[in-house]
Amino acid sequence: MKIFGVGMNYLQHNKELDGALYKPEEPVIFTKADSALLKNGKPFFVPDWASRVDYEAEVVVRICRLGKGIPVRFAHRYYDAVTVGIDFTARDWQQRARQNGLPWTICKGFDGSAAIGEWVELPMAGGTTALPGGVDVQDLHLRLDIDGKTVQEGHTADMLYTVDELIAYISRFFTLRTGDLLYTGTPAGVGPVAIDNHLEGWLEGRKVLDFFCK
């Protein structure tokens, strides 16, 4: 199983990180180790080697078939479920990596850094991808609450690169396999987590993610 992440995929998030509204010339892709996956409501253990670890709530899609060199127009056939996940980021390590042109391997891929919620299946009838009720994958609202307070909200229509565009791009370089995961980028509102925080993630008003920090 491979875990792909996308950086800089919402304008307002780019502004909060870099002070400017911009779209990268190409999608910013990184990977996480399989040991990063955190599921079934298990706690996230805040690493003691980082001075600041940020939450980044994202829509995550699940790859459902083998694919390589997938055209955008066929990309919708390659995922079958969505949820909310947290791309935990060791922000101080990321800042050093960006300043020195180094990879994001540690700051993004450490153990437990890919929290994942309950999957919501996508009906595939008629060549479209929609949640029950006909909501398109590019028309999803996500929300993250910490200790009962909303800290982050987003809408997939605001993505700079759509889910289908991301899948087409990634499949130029990597063979996608059933069970691979794609974290599609975070909207604005990221911030640090602390021990004993309670995180709850919502997709279209449905709670799909619920766990504590330890």
Side-chain angles (χ1 to χ4, degrees):
M1 182 197 68
K2 299 184 290 298
I3 303 173
F4 296 99
V6 182
M8 317 301 181
N9 203 29
Y10 286 81
L11 277 177
Q12 293 299 326
H13 174 59
N14 296 349
K15 183 178 181 180
E16 74 180 350
L17 286 185
D18 297 328
L21 298 171
Y22 68 93
K23 178 179 180 178
E25 293 183 5
E26 294 181 325
V28 177
I29 305 299
F30 58 90
T31 60
K32 289 175 175 277
D34 58 3
S35 60
L37 193 62
L38 184 71
K39 57 184 180 180
N40 300 326
K42 292 181 179 179
F44 170 70
F45 289 92
V46 181
D48 59 7
W49 45 262
S51 63
R52 172 171 169 162
V53 176
D54 281 6
Y55 59 82
E56 297 187 8
E58 315 193 1
V59 168
V60 185
V61 299
R62 183 179 68 192
I63 302 301
C64 64
R65 60 193 297 184
L66 184 72
K68 172 74 173 178
I70 302 164
V72 173
R73 67 183 183 277
F74 296 138
H76 65 269
R77 302 178 180 177
Y78 288 82
Y79 53 99
D80 64 353
V82 294
T83 190
V84 172
I86 307 293
D87 167 24
F88 284 110
T89 303
R91 192 67 72 197
D92 54 325
W93 283 67
Q94 186 190 41
Q95 289 172 346
R96 289 199 299 270
R98 294 182 71 188
Q99 290 168 0
N100 295 291
L102 299 176
W104 293 3
T105 307
I106 293 176
C107 69
K108 288 285 192 178
F110 62 90
D111 287 355
S113 62
I116 195 77
E118 172 190 353
W119 291 108
V120 178
E121 303 291 330
L122 289 171
M124 305 300 286
T128 62
T129 53
L131 284 167
V135 180
D136 187 88
V137 74
Q138 291 304 147
D139 187 22
L140 297 176
H141 293 87
L142 67 149
R143 186 179 98 228
L144 178 67
D145 293 351
I146 297 183
D147 299 335
K149 178 182 178 180
T150 297
V151 296
Q152 195 173 17
E153 294 182 274
H155 187 215
T156 57
D158 295 328
M159 287 182 181
L160 299 176
Y161 292 97
T162 67
V163 172
D164 290 359
E165 289 170 338
L166 292 170
I167 287 176
Y169 181 82
I170 291 170
S171 72
R172 291 172 55 192
F173 312 101
F174 300 92
T175 298
L176 297 180
R177 300 183 185 278
T178 300
D180 288 349
L181 305 180
L182 173 59
Y183 284 65
T184 58
T186 192
V190 304
V193 292
I195 292 173
D196 294 330
N197 279 165
H198 180 202
L199 278 67
E200 298 172 286
W202 305 77
L203 185 67
E204 288 296 305
R206 172 178 174 177
K207 184 162 74 170
V208 294
L209 183 67
D210 190 336
F211 67 99
F212 287 84
C213 294
K214 299 294 185 181

